[in-house]
Amino acid sequence: MNPVIGLSLGRIAIGTLAVIRPDILTKGLGDEAPSPLIAQAFGSREVALGAATLLTWGRARRTMVLVGIAVDGVDVATAHVATQQGQVPRQLGQGLAAVAGAAVLTGVVGLLKRRPKAAPAA
């Protein structure tokens, strides 16, 4: 499966779960769990990014993938800073950063796979 399609479908699935059942998404986080409103806001963002990417083609899709990479990159940085400042437990912050980092890498791989290959030199 194309990495961009897989990432978009994953965003929609996780986002839908966060909107409908935020308690499932935040289960096990204990006192560090975000409020249902925060989880739902995260979910709606993920559904919007995933759906907008799937509904576009060509340059517009590339732009949406770049937007997703930027959003996920900010998530990596935010999780890192929150961990360093002691706002979230180290394991949770590192886990969140790892998931967002994986999304960044998936987006980059998806963009690179779509690039036309250069013609061999004559």
Side-chain angles (χ1 to χ4, degrees), residues 6 8 11-13 17 22-23 38 46 48 70 72 77 86 89 92 96 98-99 103 111 122:
S8 297
R11 284 186 190 283
I12 292 168
L17 179 64
D23 57 307
I38 299 299
E46 291 302 306
D72 293 325
L92 175 60
L96 294 171
V99 169
L111 287 178

Side-chain angles (χ1 to χ4, degrees), residues 16 32 36 44 62-63 81 94 105 111 113 115 121:
T16 300
E32 304 303 325
S44 64
R62 177 179 165 72
T63 299
V81 169
Q94 289 175 342
L105 290 175
L111 287 178
K113 279 190 155 201
R115 280 187 151 183

Side-chain angles (χ1 to χ4, degrees), residues 63-108:
T63 299
M64 286 308 306
V65 172
L66 289 170
V67 168
I69 290 169
V71 167
D72 293 325
V74 170
D75 287 348
V76 170
T78 301
H80 176 73
V81 169
T83 301
Q84 295 304 310
Q85 293 180 350
Q87 297 170 344
V88 296
R90 182 168 298 283
Q91 188 173 9
L92 175 60
Q94 289 175 342
L96 294 171
V99 169
V104 168
L105 290 175
T106 302
V108 169

Side-chain angles (χ1 to χ4, degrees), residues 1-37:
M1 176 184 289
N2 177 308
V4 170
I5 302 294
L7 179 59
S8 297
L9 293 173
R11 284 186 190 283
I12 292 168
I14 297 290
T16 300
L17 179 64
V19 169
I20 295 171
R21 291 289 309 269
D23 57 307
I24 292 174
L25 189 67
T26 60
K27 185 178 183 178
L29 298 181
D31 294 338
E32 304 303 325
S35 74
L37 176 63

